[in-house]
Amino acid sequence: MNGALVIGGGPAGLMAADALLSAGHPVVLAEARPSLGRKLLMAGKSGLNLTKSEGFPAFLSNYGPAAAALRPMLSAFPPEEVMHWAEGLGQTLFTGSTGRVFPHGMKASPLLRAWLARLDGMGLQRHTRWRWTGWDGEAVLMDTPGGALRLTPPVTVLALGGASWARLGSDGQWAEIFARAGLPVTPFAPANAGLCVQWSTHMKPQFGAPLKGVAFHAGDLVSRGEAVISARGLEGGGLYPLSPALREGAPLAIDLCPDIDLATLSKRLSRPRGKQSLSNHLRKVVNLSAATRALLMECARPLPDQPAALAALLKALPVPHAGLRPMDEAISVAGGVPFSALDQGLMLRERPGTFVAGEMLDWEAPTGGYLLTGCLATGLWAGRAAAARLAACPPPGP
């Protein structure tokens, strides 16, 4: 076949196809599931967070150890470019108080429909229920409803996702194909996942209650944000940035009063409480919610009588946990194809002409727009690199 083969119909694959088509190259896109963009649509159910509007150094820092490798891709498609791209697809956007950027409609489906219409208009050939099964020499093997296919595209972009939410298509089975081919893959691990906590029956009335106005600490990581107390533990965007440390077994501590320094907090707790219960006293003098008071009692009873000791506890409440939820319940994963196996264009060094993008790569980032921007940026980068390779090595004539 002439042109490019893109395998994977999520944001990274669609962006790679967009880059190749924009450069004038024909593209065949293969997706194993019955429809495209399933994980994108699921993410949009709670409000499609496209990106985060903030200074680039702060934005880049959220990619942790992979930030240096991702810098060129994110520099080429930073948050402001993501916004321009979405607006070009007819989406009106707004930026929330925390800098998160959303379409006014909040959902992913209008953006996906507009994007697919654009790609179809540029000549994209897309096929669903086409599953990649590996390589045979230079041939790419596909299992399709019409039978097995052997394709020999001059370039291939792999954008098969990670290993979370398998029912939406990211099942991580491609890692076995890489292993058989002798290609390196860093083992997958859950990221942006809930935390397992074994609660006593006293916490049952708090299931579903939010923890607001707190700060989460694990290892060297700190996060301000909201989490929810669930029957299985804790989950939510405020907790997810701590996934790298929690995955390694770091203890979790919660600052229940992050905007009050220790000395001021101790002074407030020294006020006479008369006949009030301690719980009611905490509600009044430091404005602790019912959920945070219940968490305090759950994790630290009996509470110390001395104001200074109690203040120290409120500033660093230890919450025993049993690690992150299973990988298939995670929003994303760590692990994947290491950048050392790729050249600057995200092409596999051991398989020239094959590029990798999106969550297949070994990087992780918290929710809040960073994940989607990373997938779009790496897809665009890989697509442009594949287009440049096609332009440099045109197919032979008849």
Side-chain angles (χ1 to χ4, degrees), residues 12-70:
L14 292 174
M15 189 57 85
D18 200 327
L20 282 153
L21 290 165
S22 297
H25 302 291
V27 178
V28 172
L29 186 143
E31 165 58 45
R33 306 300 290 177
S35 57
L36 306 183
R38 288 192 163 202
K39 195 171 180 181
L40 178 67
L41 293 172
M42 177 62 77
K45 284 192 172 183
S46 58
L48 182 63
N49 188 184
L50 284 169
T51 192
K52 181 77 175 286
S53 179
E54 62 183 345
F56 187 74
F59 184 83
L60 183 64
S61 70
N62 284 276
Y63 293 86
L70 290 170

Side-chain angles (χ1 to χ4, degrees), residues 213-229:
V214 301
F216 300 94
H217 297 251
D220 295 329
L221 303 178
V222 181
S223 174
R224 288 288 298 265
E226 186 174 318
V228 174
I229 300 170

Side-chain angles (χ1 to χ4, degrees), residues 82-358:
V82 174
M83 290 185 269
H84 292 157
W85 165 78
E87 289 167 343
L89 290 172
Q91 306 304 298
T92 57
L93 309 177
F94 73 93
T95 302
S97 58
T98 61
R100 296 185 179 194
V101 179
F102 301 87
H104 271 104
M106 296 298 284
K107 296 182 179 180
S109 49
L111 182 144
L112 181 60
R113 283 196 300 269
W115 196 5
L116 291 177
R118 165 185 157 83
L119 296 175
D120 289 343
M122 289 194 290
L124 177 67
Q125 301 177 52
R126 48 184 169 113
H127 302 276
T128 56
R129 296 186 173 90
W130 278 31
R131 176 174 287 277
W132 178 52
T133 58
W135 292 288
D136 182 10
E138 297 301 311
V140 178
L141 307 180
M142 305 294 300
D143 182 15
T144 80
L149 289 181
R150 291 172 57 91
L151 304 176
T152 54
V155 299
T156 301
V157 179
L158 299 175
L160 293 157
S164 63
W165 294 7
R167 63 191 176 87
L168 301 179
S170 297
D171 55 22
Q173 292 183 12
W174 59 265
E176 298 177 9
I177 298 174
F178 269 53
R180 292 197 299 269
L183 298 171
V185 177
T186 303
F188 296 121
N192 293 301
L195 191 66
C196 299
V197 182
Q198 187 65 47
W199 304 120
S200 73
T201 56
H202 298 291
M203 287 295 288
K204 190 172 182 180
Q206 304 303 326
F207 293 168
L211 294 174
K212 297 182 178 182
V214 301
F216 300 94
H217 297 251
D220 295 329
L221 303 178
V222 181
S223 174
R224 288 288 298 265
E226 186 174 318
V228 174
I229 300 170
S230 72
R232 298 186 296 178
L234 294 169
E235 52 190 89
L239 191 67
Y240 294 155
L242 306 186
S243 290
L246 294 171
R247 193 169 57 233
E248 298 301 319
L252 173 67
I254 304 180
D255 184 346
L256 302 180
C257 306
D259 297 317
I260 308 174
D261 64 70
L262 184 61
T264 302
L265 186 58
S266 181
K267 186 176 180 180
R268 288 191 188 182
L269 292 170
S270 299
R271 296 174 186 171
R273 62 184 175 101
K275 295 182 179 180
Q276 292 184 105
S277 68
L278 179 56
S279 179
N280 206 32
H281 183 59
L282 290 169
R283 177 181 64 84
K284 289 185 176 181
V285 300
V286 291
N287 198 30
L288 288 190
S289 68
T292 52
R293 297 198 309 272
L295 184 66
L296 176 65
M297 298 297 182
E298 174 77 7
C299 298
R301 192 169 13 190
L303 300 182
D305 293 325
Q306 299 80 12
L310 182 55
L313 187 60
L314 294 178
K315 294 296 290 180
L317 176 68
V319 180
H321 66 84
L324 298 178
R325 298 296 305 167
M327 190 155 53
D328 196 47
E329 297 179 24
I331 293 174
S332 61
V333 295
V337 180
F339 286 97
S340 60
L342 305 163
D343 72 3
Q344 292 183 341
L346 298 180
M347 185 176 73
L348 286 165
R349 299 182 189 278
E350 299 299 318
R351 289 199 69 90
T354 299
F355 299 79
V356 181

